[in-house]
Structure formats: C-alpha cells, structure tokens
Amino acid sequence: MTLDDAEAFAVAQGWARFRGEQIWRWVHDKGCRDISEMTNLSREVRDQLAERATIGSLQIAEVQSSSDGTRKLRLTTRDGQSIESVLIPDGDKTTQCISSQIGCAVDCQFCATAKMGLKRNLDAGEIVDQVYLARRLLAEAEPERRLTNLVYMGMGEPLHNYDNLIKSLRILTHDKGAGLSQRRITVSTSGLVPKLERLGGEDIRPNLAVSLNAPNDQIRDDIMPINRKWNIGKLLAALRAYPLEQRRRITFEYVLLADVNDSLVHAAQLSRLLVGIKCKVNLIPWNPHPEAPFARPADAVIEAFQDECKRLGLPTYLRTPRGDDIDAACGQLANRSNGSPIVPLRVRKTPPIPAVD
Ligand code: SAH
Ligand code: SF4
C-alpha cells in the first residue's frame, strides 16, 4: 500500500484517516512486522488490524556470506517461490541489489536469470520488502552499517514490471517511510524503449543504467534478443531525449565476453556510439555460470579495452566482481544453492515508540 492506500484502508475500516498514516509509518519507517508492537494504536484497532491485514510479503529463507563481505539473501514469497537480493558493502557505502521479477523474459544469452524464464512479476510489496528485510539483517549483523544505495539490478527486467517499479519507488522514497534518496537509487534496464520514454516523463527520478553490452547491432542481436525489437539506434535516440537531472549521467553496463565484444575495435566502436551522451561505462567482466558458453576475458584484455575507451574520451570504470564465490555477482542470480554455509538469521524486535493515545 502507498500512504494514500493505507489512509483509504483506515477509513474503510471505520477508523480515523490518520490511523492509516500511523500504521503506514510503523511499516515503512520503523520496519515493524508485528502489529502488537504498534503502541500508538488502541488495543481494539490493533486487534482488528491483525484480523484484517498482514505485514510483509517475504521471509528470509537463507543468507549466504561471501569472503568479500557480500551477502546473498534468498527470500521466499507467499506462494512459495524464491527470489534473491544481494547486500554489497563498499567502504562507507552499502548497496542493496534487488529483484523486480521472478526470472526474466528478456533472454540475454550470458545471464543466469534468463535461463529461468519469467515466472511472474513481483508486486510492489515484494519489491519493497526486500529492502526492509535487508535493513533488519544489517541492523542485527552490522549495526554500524546503514543501507545507503539501492540498485534494481537483481533478477528481472524492472521496466517489464513498470507499474510495480514506479509504486515501489514512490514507497521507498517517501519521506514518511524509508525516505531513500532518489539520487541513490538506480534502475537498470536492457533497453525497453517505450517504457524508457515513459519513465522519462515520471516525477520520480532514479538514476538510469542501461545494459548495452555490445558496440554494434550484429553482436547485440546475438547476445540480447531484445535488440531485434529496439536496436542500438532506437535505444540511443531514446536516451539522447531522456530528461536528465543536472549533474547526472546515464550508466552503460557492458559485460565483457571473451572474443565476443572485447577487442580494441569494439572499444573504439563503443566510444563512437556514445559521443554526445552524458554517460559513463561500467565494464563488467563476465561472471561465469554453468549454463552459458562464454568466458571472462584475460585481465590484460580487459585492461586494454578500458584504456582504449578512456583514451577515446569515454569515462570507463571496471566493476570488480562481488560475491562471485556465492553466485551473487551480476548475472548469477538464479536460485541455485551452491553449498556455501548458511548463516542463521536473528532478528531484533522493533524498538517501541511511546504511545500517544
Ligand atoms: N534486467 C536488467 C536488470 C538486471 S541487471 C538489466 O539487464 O539491465 C543485471 C546486469 O548484469 C546487466 O547489466 C547485465 O548485462 C549484467 N549481467 C548479466 N549476466 C551477467 C554475467 N553472467 N556476468 C556479468 N554481468 C552480467
Ligand atoms: Fe533479464 Fe537483465 Fe538478465 Fe537480460 S541481463 S536476462 S534483461 S535480468
């Protein structure tokens, strides 16, 4: 529920409208999952609420910890399916990578999620609950750390689940709820052009990342079938028209696949393509998984590719794989258990706030 939904819910129960906001704040600001902890509601309202509503859509089934501090959460939905979300500490920052769908329909050849096919969209509650469960886990495991950044880069294509994406963004950035900053949220897409155009017209403005992954249509057609529908020309035209906030730039993701898209000629083509777009490129050396016939390029090849892009004036960064020992790195999320140790979760109760009536 959005705050408006919660207020309408309160009125429909015969309660004062402000009860809706009180309840909503408990859930989205405090991360409360237990109605009996809502101490500013009368016992009667709490009892009625417990009969008529539940809080939270997901449960933590498993937490795997990587040697680099990354944690992968396997979460189960009410209908018994699993999704994955990843917490990535990086200095003072902690970024959470969240899923928007169970599986994905886009079928990129190099991606493990693609092999699952699309099972279903996540609803907005399931998207935001990943964040609330991760905040609880962090509060318990590393109280000095706070969740600072959010990326829609887990399982699924966020723009294929457009309405729930927007609803989840509105909920997570609401200043009476979790209050995450739009500037610290990034939505990543494989390039659904009509939805990109629609996103540009929204009043909510997350950062945008686009999985380009190829320097020409021939290669992109092969590794990302979506390119046959919206090719690089159409995609870049939409991005050139995308209204960017001041001091922001588009991130292009480029998965480096050995002998597919990693030559110096490809680097030059890529640099030429992106001339005139306010952007940076994140190079992601391919993370292996068993279902795909690709290889990660040698370090020297990766370095030469990056150097060539930089020499040609394209700001280009290398993403070091995080959590790849637990299959938590980019493109490895597919609900496979790899036998890594399971860390049991202990969750602290939400601290009470004083009653007001
Ligand atoms: N569906 C969206 C969001 C998922 S983000 C999108 O594709 O943008 C996942 C990112 O990981 C994408 O940039 C994708 O290109 C990249 N990726 C997928 N499989 C990968 C793999 N095996 N190794 C490295 N990166 C991968
Ligand atoms: Fe879907 Fe993104 Fe994987 Fe492509 S890379 S299959 S769009 S999750």
Side-chain angles (χ1 to χ4, degrees), residues 78-145:
R78 290 219 179 104
D79 59 351
Q81 309 217 46
S82 288
I83 56 170
E84 294 179 342
S85 178
V86 183
L87 270 173
I88 310 149
D90 183 13
D92 290 345
K93 267 186 8 186
T94 303
T95 300
Q96 184 180 12
C97 177
I98 57 172
S99 293
S100 55
Q101 298 182 307
I102 306 180
C104 184
V106 180
D107 203 24
C108 303
Q109 299 301 297
F110 44 82
C111 173
T113 307
K115 306 297 169 203
M116 299 172 64
L118 175 64
K119 302 218 167 127
R120 69 168 172 84
N121 281 335
L122 295 181
D123 64 29
E126 290 167 326
I127 297 175
V128 303
D129 212 17
Q130 295 171 64
V131 178
Y132 301 160
L133 286 172
R135 282 196 313 189
R136 293 198 138 217
L137 176 68
L138 265 189
E140 175 65 25
E142 285 180 84
E144 69 289 355
R145 246 183 208 288

Side-chain angles (χ1 to χ4, degrees), residues 198-310:
R198 199 168 150 200
L199 186 65
E202 300 283 352
D203 54 358
I204 191 122
R205 310 216 56 90
N207 296 303
L208 186 61
V210 176
S211 300
L212 187 58
N213 296 334
N216 60 51
D217 281 327
Q218 205 184 348
I219 297 176
R220 201 163 190 264
D221 280 350
D222 279 350
I223 61 175
M224 298 182 73
I226 196 170
N227 198 63
R228 295 178 213 147
K229 195 154 187 187
W230 295 293
N231 64 19
I232 294 180
K234 289 179 184 156
L235 176 58
L236 295 186
L239 294 175
R240 284 177 202 280
Y242 191 85
L244 270 186
E245 306 272 280
Q246 273 201 331
R247 290 195 297 280
R248 289 218 214 169
R249 51 187 180 170
I250 294 171
T251 301
F252 287 99
E253 292 143 300
Y254 192 100
V255 179
L256 280 166
L257 306 164
D259 301 325
V260 174
N261 63 0
D262 64 343
S263 74
L264 294 186
V265 173
H266 297 144
Q269 286 178 346
L270 177 67
S271 310
R272 246 195 326 275
L273 270 184
L274 302 183
V275 168
I277 301 182
K278 270 174 62 187
C279 68
K280 64 169 176 161
V281 170
N282 279 344
L283 298 176
I284 317 174
W286 186 65
N287 294 309
H289 57 90
E291 294 97 339
F294 295 105
R296 182 182 292 187
D299 288 350
V301 173
I302 297 172
E303 201 180 315
F305 190 97
Q306 182 183 16
D307 287 349
E308 182 67 352
C309 291
K310 281 165 71 176

Side-chain angles (χ1 to χ4, degrees), residues 98-101 103-104 106 121 127 151-166 168-169 186-190 192 195 199 209:
I98 57 172
S99 293
S100 55
Q101 298 182 307
C104 184
V106 180
N121 281 335
I127 297 175
V151 295
Y152 285 70
M153 293 186 186
M155 301 165 80
E157 165 51 57
L159 295 189
H160 262 161
N161 188 12
Y162 191 86
D163 291 345
N164 289 317
L165 165 70
I166 298 294
S168 67
L169 288 169
T186 301
V187 173
S188 177
T189 177
S190 56
L192 274 69
K195 294 287 167 48
L199 186 65

Side-chain angles (χ1 to χ4, degrees), residues 27-62:
V27 175
H28 297 275
D29 177 19
K30 302 271 176 220
C32 171
R33 299 180 88 80
D34 180 349
I35 291 167
S36 67
E37 291 175 10
M38 298 183 174
T39 44
N40 57 354
L41 303 180
S42 68
R43 166 139 327 214
E44 192 190 350
V45 168
R46 272 185 269 164
D47 289 346
Q48 289 172 352
L49 185 60
E51 278 165 24
R52 298 171 196 174
T54 53
I55 305 173
S57 331
L58 302 174
Q59 283 191 324
I60 297 187
E62 185 180 345

